[in-house]
Amino acid sequence: MSGIRTIGILTSGGDAPGMNAAIRALTRTAIFNNFRVKAIFRGYKGLITGEISEFKTQNVSNIIQQGGTILKTARSEEFRTPEGRMLAYETLIREEIDALIVVGGDGTLTGARIFASEFNYPIVGVPGTIDNDIYGTDSTIGYDTALNTIIEAVDKIRDTASSHDRLFFIEVMGRDAGFLALNGAIASGAEAAIIPEIATEVDQLEELIKNGFRKTKNSSIVLVAESEITGGAMHYADRVKREYPEYDVRVVILGHVQRGGSPSAHDRILASRMGNAAIEALIEGQRNIMVGIDNDKVVYVPFNQAIKNDKPLDKELLKVLRTLSI
Ligand code: F6P
């Protein structure tokens, strides 16, 4: 086990439902295996300022069902600098923390990779983000819950859309990835999804109209992934107003409502498995890897792969959506 006695845990970047379930699994698996656990608050920011306290099993009681993160989170600009990372390293030495588990998305894992190689320090990553944009894992913690939030909202919007015979563009999160938009569209029976992955290949609005969009329907729902590449829901609504003024268009931006709420069963189980696997990975002597789930099996993905590779979006899903929205 190469001298690891105390493990530090932090959550960083955008919060995601299921992060608490991961904190619980990490803490309890670590204590079960006779490690000490130190909780670091506010992500890398708290690592720099030393916001740390020891966690026992009771610190993580009654949190599996809670959204957000009891460890708090932040996007730390200081950790992007060598000076900030040096301060973070000094905190780890002072607190006698021998290894770190970080729960977060792309930015969090990128920070972990740089830090681990700069200081030759053992870190294991756990993918927690609603965006699902991390290579090497079928799903990230929080994605399933966010999808469920999206379909609940779309179901409600559909009631008013069909009452008024309107076309709604509903913008969902995802940063530059279309997983929430595409699978949200399939799951809510939407007519189409506009996603960054194909935004440069085709004019998705032209495609919609060309494919006989709305010919057999009075109301329509289109999910748009937020992104500079797509231009977002407002951009498409403005275009429709200009180019197809016969449509009665409205826009809904779902925003941060997608990040909240009690995690789904899927996310709780995923977080529990990943938290457990992250500690097992340290015990096995694994370093600088992210825990993932591939084909329902735990896998270890080197940071380099998880960060550098773009997670491919299954084009078959686009076909499913197009076929089912006739
Ligand atoms: O990465 C998660 C996410 O919710 C993205 O989908 C979104 O683009 C971003 O975070 C929003 O970040 P913030 O809460 O810092 O505005």
Side-chain angles (χ1 to χ4, degrees), residues 24-37 57 276 279-280 283:
R24 173 180 177 270
L26 289 164
T27 303
R28 294 209 167 156
T29 308
I31 292 172
F32 181 88
N33 287 288
N34 302 315
F35 294 107
R36 281 179 82 197
V37 174
T57 58
N276 186 263
I279 301 294
E280 300 276 345
I283 295 171

Side-chain angles (χ1 to χ4, degrees), residues 127-281:
T129 165
I130 64 164
D131 301 338
N132 197 34
D133 58 346
I134 310 278
Y135 179 89
T137 186
D138 290 342
S139 182
T140 55
I141 296 167
Y143 172 59
D144 182 68
T145 308
L147 270 180
N148 282 305
T149 302
I150 289 170
I151 63 171
E152 206 184 314
V154 175
D155 288 351
K156 288 183 174 152
I157 294 165
R158 190 181 286 288
D159 290 343
T160 178
S162 61
S163 301
H164 284 266
D165 292 342
R166 278 176 174 158
L167 161 60
F168 270 83
F169 286 101
I170 303 176
E171 185 174 299
V172 299
M173 281 187 167
R175 206 175 287 276
D176 285 325
F179 297 97
L180 285 171
L182 183 52
N183 279 318
I186 291 173
S188 61
E191 277 59 49
I194 293 178
I195 55 173
E197 285 83 350
I198 58 165
T200 49
E201 288 169 29
V202 285
D203 181 337
Q204 294 174 87
L205 185 60
E206 288 295 317
E207 285 267 293
L208 292 178
I209 306 291
K210 199 176 72 202
N211 292 341
F213 165 68
R214 226 166 165 239
K215 270 199 187 123
T216 58
K217 299 169 184 178
N218 291 327
S219 66
S220 300
I221 306 269
V222 176
L223 263 60
V224 185
E226 64 162 9
S227 159
E228 281 179 13
I229 305 167
T230 61
M234 286 304 290
H235 166 72
Y236 280 91
D238 288 345
R239 272 193 64 187
V240 169
K241 279 181 201 156
R242 271 195 320 271
E243 297 169 35
Y244 307 97
E246 64 275 24
Y247 293 142
D248 191 9
V249 191
R250 291 291 186 277
V251 168
V252 175
I253 297 175
L254 289 186
H256 287 79
V257 74
Q258 295 162 93
R259 289 236 296 260
S262 181
S264 65
H266 176 90
D267 278 331
R268 294 181 198 197
I269 295 165
L270 185 68
S272 300
R273 289 183 73 189
M274 285 180 165
N276 186 263
I279 301 294
E280 300 276 345

